[in-house]
Amino acid sequence: MPVTIRMLTDAMKQASSASSSGSDVAYIVNGKKLNVFSLVACVEFVQQQTYFKKLTLNDSSGRMVVHWNDSMDATGQSEEVRVGDYVRVFGHLCSFSVEGQPYVNADFITSITSADEIACHTIRVAQVYLTSSRSI
């Protein structure tokens, strides 16, 4: 499901206000349980941690921390992510964090090569919302 950071933060607020505790918090976006999603955003900050890279992303609707276990592919290549790059993230929300705030656990990150991909993602977010709300 394509989402924006604002949609993720709203889902986190809704889940926390429902006072559900534990590791199996159900995040709801567009009336559906959120599992794996795609997000397109600009990288604002990259920090190498011991076992993962910690990224801060901004899609103009908000900021979100992303944890990414940057493992190499079969050819030994690794996706290089730099500040200022636009990326597409496939991942899921995690409710438990050492810092005390939820974050995105990225399963896969790829660089955006064309500005058309950013516009296309935004259109897909709107289309999924309208379809879910039965407006179209």
Side-chain angles (χ1 to χ4, degrees), residues 50-67:
T50 306
Y51 298 108
F52 59 88
K53 284 185 181 175
K54 182 178 179 181
L55 312 171
T56 302
L57 301 182
N58 184 341
D59 73 348
S60 77
S61 71
R63 287 186 174 87
M64 180 68 67
V65 174
V66 175
H67 292 183

Side-chain angles (χ1 to χ4, degrees), residues 107-125:
D107 298 321
F108 182 73
I109 295 181
T110 185
S111 295
I112 297 293
T113 57
S114 168
D116 293 339
E117 291 183 64
I118 300 166
C120 183
H121 177 78
T122 305
I123 292 167
R124 287 282 297 144
V125 168

Side-chain angles (χ1 to χ4, degrees), residues 76-131:
Q77 298 295 319
S78 175
E79 182 78 28
E80 183 63 33
V81 176
R82 296 181 309 260
V83 172
D85 288 351
Y86 274 83
V87 294
R88 180 181 305 275
V89 176
F90 294 93
H92 55 277
L93 279 175
C94 293
S95 58
F96 176 75
S97 174
V98 175
E99 292 103 16
Q101 70 180 68
Y103 62 92
V104 172
N105 188 5
D107 298 321
F108 182 73
I109 295 181
T110 185
S111 295
I112 297 293
T113 57
S114 168
D116 293 339
E117 291 183 64
I118 300 166
C120 183
H121 177 78
T122 305
I123 292 167
R124 287 282 297 144
V125 168
Q127 186 233 354
V128 168
Y129 170 77
L130 291 172
T131 303

Side-chain angles (χ1 to χ4, degrees), residues 29-82:
V29 173
N30 296 334
K32 297 181 180 179
K33 185 176 176 184
L34 183 65
N35 291 315
V36 176
F37 57 83
S38 67
L39 170 70
V40 172
C42 183
V43 178
E44 287 188 336
F45 180 74
V46 179
Q47 181 182 28
Q48 181 65 50
Q49 301 285 331
T50 306
Y51 298 108
F52 59 88
K53 284 185 181 175
K54 182 178 179 181
L55 312 171
T56 302
L57 301 182
N58 184 341
D59 73 348
S60 77
S61 71
R63 287 186 174 87
M64 180 68 67
V65 174
V66 175
H67 292 183
W68 179 36
N69 183 5
D70 182 21
S71 58
M72 295 182 193
D73 63 13
T75 63
Q77 298 295 319
S78 175
E79 182 78 28
E80 183 63 33
V81 176
R82 296 181 309 260

